[in-house]
Amino acid sequence: MANVPGGPSTRAIHGLPHAKADRDPVVTPIYQSSTFAAGIAATDEVLYTRYGNNPNQTVLATKLAALEQADRAIFLASGMGATALAHLAVLRPGDHLLASEWIYGGTHKLLTEEFGKLGIDVTFVTPDNPRNWRHEVRKNTRGIFVETPTNPIMRVLDLEPIADLCQQQGLVLLVDSTFASPVNFRALEHGADVVIHSATKYLNGHSDVIGGVVAGSEEIVEEVRRLMQVWGQAPDPHAAWLVERGLKTLAIRVARHNENGLAFATWAAEQGAVDVVHYPGLPEHPDHAVASEQLEGFGGMVGLVLKGGPAAAETVLRKLRLATHAPSLGGVETLVSEPRFTSHAHMSVEERDAVGIPDGFIRVSLGIEDVEDIIADFAAALHALS
Ligand SMILES: *Cc1c(COP(=O)(O)O)cnc(C)c1O
């Protein structure tokens, strides 16, 4: 399936191009059916929506594989479902996993609260230097998990040295690349074995579906599908249909998110009330060089630290009219959140400080509105501080 021809827009719209028969619907119909008639005494697998073989699920999976240039992909009920099953597909009791310290809070919970019960040991590694990984590899290490770009300070990891280490040591490299979407970064092309997305974010793009994706080799994705059946992580056909619809505009949406992200970050960096702007497209970002080399766009996520701390953040959040205060990201509408109450609520103030998320940090998910209007909204809110 890898090496599907065409650019990202074509692959997102068509998957594997094929000629249609007369009177075929142009759009995949919604097969809102839990089960399908089966041949009597037939030996092939029955169609049953929890098995992941409903046509809405399989058509979408083909497009997702084409987008990632993966052998195979699968759509699941949530990003967390995708993360959990991707790991369970490669780890066994007694195995050891190295995980980046800079990861989504839900994933952190999964690794710290659940994996121990399954006999899987996890060591967290600060990924700011590729050498840090090698020191922690043990005899029973099976895999490395990272997120790039990271939430919410938008660090961009250089995957190549980590992928080299995995190759040398026979480890599986799993990458959550939700923040980039396959338009800005395709981790498999940089040495990852498995790529994970929360489809809830950019892939669907309209803040109306929860879903997840795992893409990689035939063998690993087949194991994820087997686990999906028994752990009950299959998505509803309507959710699959909505994500297939969202995907058709993924490339143009992400192009606009990239433009808005850069314009907003550049503006924010010039504002007196703003202390730090975290955006990999700015030359002062610590990973600007890696991001320029590896990403095809810097994305729509911007982190702001206000000089006035948490009180200033509260004032600004109360004043915004166009940007909505809500968790999540990657939709057409601009959302703002404070990581201390959402994704990083599990950490102490000191722990957050140490990773660059002081109280007063605002995460902005730039939507695809006209950027002048988003900037005007923030300008009015910052004005309330003076
Ligand atoms: C949102 C998110 C998840 C979890 O996805 P859900 O669809 O909410 O289950 C995982 N990783 C990252 C980076 C996310 O932003």
Side-chain angles (χ1 to χ4, degrees):
M1 171 86 209
N3 298 317
V4 175
S9 293
T10 309
R11 283 182 276 131
I13 294 166
H14 295 286
L16 276 175
H18 59 280
K20 292 185 181 59
D22 288 356
R23 297 183 180 273
D24 269 1
V26 168
V27 172
T28 313
I30 306 177
Y31 293 83
Q32 195 71 44
S33 188
S34 58
T35 188
F36 295 78
I40 292 158
T43 53
D44 43 340
E45 187 182 63
V46 297
L47 293 191
Y48 184 62
T49 295
R50 178 167 51 77
Y51 292 1
N53 53 18
N54 177 303
N56 291 113
Q57 298 163 332
T58 54
V59 169
L60 173 60
T62 304
K63 291 186 175 181
L64 293 166
L67 264 173
E68 287 290 358
Q69 298 289 21
D71 289 341
R72 189 169 164 194
I74 187 166
F75 180 60
L76 299 106
S78 70
M80 283 308 301
T83 304
L85 298 193
H87 283 87
L88 294 183
V90 299
L91 299 170
R92 295 289 171 271
D95 284 348
H96 175 234
L97 174 75
L98 296 179
S100 167
E101 241 168 28
W102 301 342
I103 57 172
Y104 175 69
T107 308
H108 188 267
K109 251 192 205 157
L110 173 73
L111 301 185
T112 53
E113 294 176 14
E114 302 303 320
F115 276 27
K117 296 179 200 164
L118 303 174
I120 298 164
D121 252 0
V122 182
T123 303
F124 288 95
V125 173
T126 312
D128 55 356
N129 183 335
R131 266 174 300 198
N132 297 353
W133 299 99
R134 190 178 295 274
H135 295 149
E136 300 293 346
V137 175
R138 303 181 194 162
K139 267 209 189 75
N140 59 340
T141 307
R142 257 306 271 148
I144 292 184
F145 169 72
V146 301
E147 222 174 275
T148 184
T150 70
N151 178 24
I153 60 169
M154 297 300 291
R155 295 297 302 261
V156 178
L157 306 189
D158 182 3
L159 275 196
E160 253 90 326
I162 307 173
D164 286 349
L165 176 68
C166 287
Q167 185 104 50
Q168 288 159 18
Q169 307 272 342
L171 313 179
V172 179
L173 178 56
L174 304 108
V175 178
D176 180 338
S177 194
T178 296
F179 272 48
S181 91
V183 175
N184 282 344
F185 186 63
R186 286 171 303 285
L188 300 176
E189 292 174 3
H190 296 268
D193 299 295
V194 180
V195 60
I196 299 162
H197 288 278
S198 166
T200 310
K201 318 295 169 50
Y202 289 105
L203 290 173
N204 178 58
H206 294 74
S207 308
D208 50 12
V209 173
I210 299 285
V213 177
V214 178
S217 67
E218 178 60 41
E219 189 192 353
I220 291 176
V221 176
E222 176 53 28
E223 180 62 5
V224 171
R225 189 179 90 103
R226 199 187 65 77
L227 293 170
M228 180 180 81
Q229 290 187 2
V230 293
W231 289 90
Q233 284 297 314
D236 184 80
H238 189 233
W241 185 86
L242 281 168
V243 173
E244 191 192 345
R245 176 182 168 132
L247 272 194
K248 294 174 189 180
T249 55
L250 175 69
I252 57 169
R253 280 188 285 108
V254 171
R256 178 68 163 244
H257 287 295
N258 290 341
E259 274 175 38
N260 285 2
L262 185 59
F264 178 81
T266 305
W267 170 82
E270 288 162 2
Q271 306 309 305
V274 177
D275 192 18
V276 187
V277 179
H278 294 280
Y279 187 71
L282 296 180
E284 56 270 29
H285 188 278
D287 304 319
H288 181 62
V290 177
S292 304
E293 198 185 290
Q294 299 204 349
L295 304 184
E296 281 165 50
F298 298 116
M301 299 300 298
V302 177
L304 300 179
V305 182
L306 300 181
K307 281 186 185 148
E314 188 173 333
T315 305
V316 167
L317 292 175
R318 285 191 191 286
K319 199 83 189 162
L320 290 169
R321 287 294 166 267
L322 193 143
T324 303
H325 182 234
S328 201
L329 63 119
V332 294
E333 61 288 290
T334 297
L335 299 182
V336 288
S337 65
E338 279 189 277
R340 64 180 171 138
F341 294 128
T342 54
S343 56
H344 292 69
H346 62 283
M347 296 165 81
S348 67
V349 182
E350 294 73 27
E351 285 172 325
R352 282 195 297 262
D353 250 336
V355 294
I357 316 168
D359 288 356
F361 190 109
I362 298 177
R363 190 187 76 175
V364 186
S365 169
L366 275 295
I368 62 168
E369 301 97 335
D370 302 284
V371 75
E372 313 79 73
D373 297 328
I374 304 170
I375 288 175
D377 194 34
F378 277 83
L382 290 181
H383 187 71
L385 297 174
S386 51

